[in-house]
């Protein structure tokens, strides 16, 4: 499988762009945030633990996140063309674990696409989303915390993939279609 990592601050449009990529290239969208919210919706003990972490804007511990991700990947259909990792890896340690998982399964992460959006714009997008999303982390205080966590813990992931020559920065400002065109320029070489 040739997999793709979609990276960017909260509110940078990863979910929206993933939908368009799925539509055009038939990749499978794997959002770790969605995975965790599905666990919360089960109202299990694990879900309650996860909810307490997410609603404060913190990241799940790496080992917990990696276990959940591996379990999910094992349940995916066998002949998948490729996965869009949305929201994973979020720490350098997760990146190391993902690359080792790829090696073990004979797959690869072809590229990391880093969606760049002005911080003011991401905050506004998330506040707007919070009016309808029902997400416990889409409120102003938690949004600011999530951005701090992003800069501190997730930005090093970009450097990790830069060193592997797999890093592509994409301007995430503008209309949904214009942003997709920029992503598509990268993907058509990989998947067509
Ligand atoms: P997202 O939907 O990607 O914005 O993720 C929502 C929240 O889920 C994040 O703020 C984290 O609390 C948690 N989360 C999602 N992905 C990860 C990950 N890869 N590692 C740790 N926590 C995560």
């Amino acid at each position: 499988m040739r997999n793709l990592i979609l990276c960017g601050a909260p509110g940078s449009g990863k979910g929206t762009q993933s939908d368009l990529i799925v539509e055009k290239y038939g990749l499978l969208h794997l959002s770790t945030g969605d995975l965790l919210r599905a666990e919360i919706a089960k109202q299990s003990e694990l879900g309650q633990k996860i909810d307490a972490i997410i609603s404060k804007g913190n990241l799940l511990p790496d080992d917990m996140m990696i276990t959940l991700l591996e379990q999910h990947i094992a349940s995916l259909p066998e002949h998948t063309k490729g996965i869009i990792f949305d929201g994973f890896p979020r720490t350098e340690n997760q990146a190391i674990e993902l690359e080792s998982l790829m090696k073990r399964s004979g797959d690869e992460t072809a590229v990391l696409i880093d969606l760049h959006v002005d911080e003011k714009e991401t905050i506004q997008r998330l506040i707007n989303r919070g009016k309808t999303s029902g997400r416990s982390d889409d409120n102003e205080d938690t949004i600011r915390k999530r951005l701090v966590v992003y800069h501190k813990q997730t930005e090093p992931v970009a450097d990790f993939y830069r060193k592997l020559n797999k890093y592509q920065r994409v301007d995430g400002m503008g209309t949904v279609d214009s942003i997709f065109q920029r992503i598509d320029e990268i993907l058509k070489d990989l998947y067509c």
Side-chain angles (χ1 to χ4, degrees), residues 9-186:
S12 58
K14 300 186 293 293
T16 306
Q17 292 300 326
S18 292
D19 290 346
L20 296 175
I21 298 169
V22 168
E23 203 177 297
K24 178 154 184 187
Y25 292 100
L27 302 187
L28 213 138
H29 180 209
L30 200 174
S31 151
T32 43
D34 286 350
L35 201 68
L36 299 175
R37 284 183 287 277
E39 196 58 52
I40 294 172
K42 287 186 204 158
Q43 298 186 321
S44 60
E45 208 177 301
L46 175 64
Q48 285 172 6
K49 258 193 205 164
I50 294 171
D51 194 25
I53 296 170
I54 289 190
S55 57
K56 288 196 186 77
N58 290 318
L59 295 184
L60 250 76
D62 285 338
D63 54 351
M64 201 168 159
M65 188 68 251
I66 289 157
T67 306
L68 282 169
L69 183 91
E70 285 192 306
Q71 281 170 358
H72 184 72
I73 290 179
S75 74
L76 294 178
E78 258 183 36
H79 299 292
T80 302
K81 191 173 165 192
I83 297 172
I84 308 167
F85 288 102
D86 161 2
F88 188 94
R90 255 181 161 96
T91 64
E92 193 173 345
N93 200 23
Q94 291 183 8
I96 293 168
E97 288 293 334
L98 179 61
E99 289 310 309
S100 119
L101 174 65
M102 291 294 109
K103 253 193 203 136
R104 289 199 305 274
S105 57
D107 299 314
E108 65 161 341
T109 46
V111 66
L112 177 144
I113 293 179
D114 191 5
L115 274 177
H116 265 258
V117 176
D118 293 346
E119 194 139 307
K120 258 194 189 161
E121 167 89 11
T122 60
I123 294 171
Q124 203 47 54
R125 285 185 190 177
L126 291 171
I127 290 173
N128 287 343
R129 187 174 77 185
K131 290 176 190 158
T132 52
S133 69
R135 279 176 55 162
S136 60
D137 57 349
D138 278 349
N139 60 76
E140 200 158 345
D141 283 347
T142 313
I143 290 167
R144 290 193 188 280
K145 175 71 188 293
R146 286 161 67 198
L147 286 167
V148 170
V149 167
Y150 176 77
H151 291 308
K152 198 167 163 213
Q153 294 184 260
T154 306
E155 275 179 356
V157 172
D159 281 332
F160 181 90
Y161 282 94
R162 220 177 252 125
K163 286 181 196 147
L164 297 179
N165 284 324
K166 291 181 175 181
Y167 177 84
Q168 294 271 3
R169 180 186 163 120
V170 167
D171 178 5
M173 299 290 285
T175 62
V176 169
D177 285 345
S178 65
I179 300 163
F180 180 66
Q181 272 173 25
R182 290 172 206 142
I183 295 176
D184 199 26
E185 280 303 310
I186 300 167

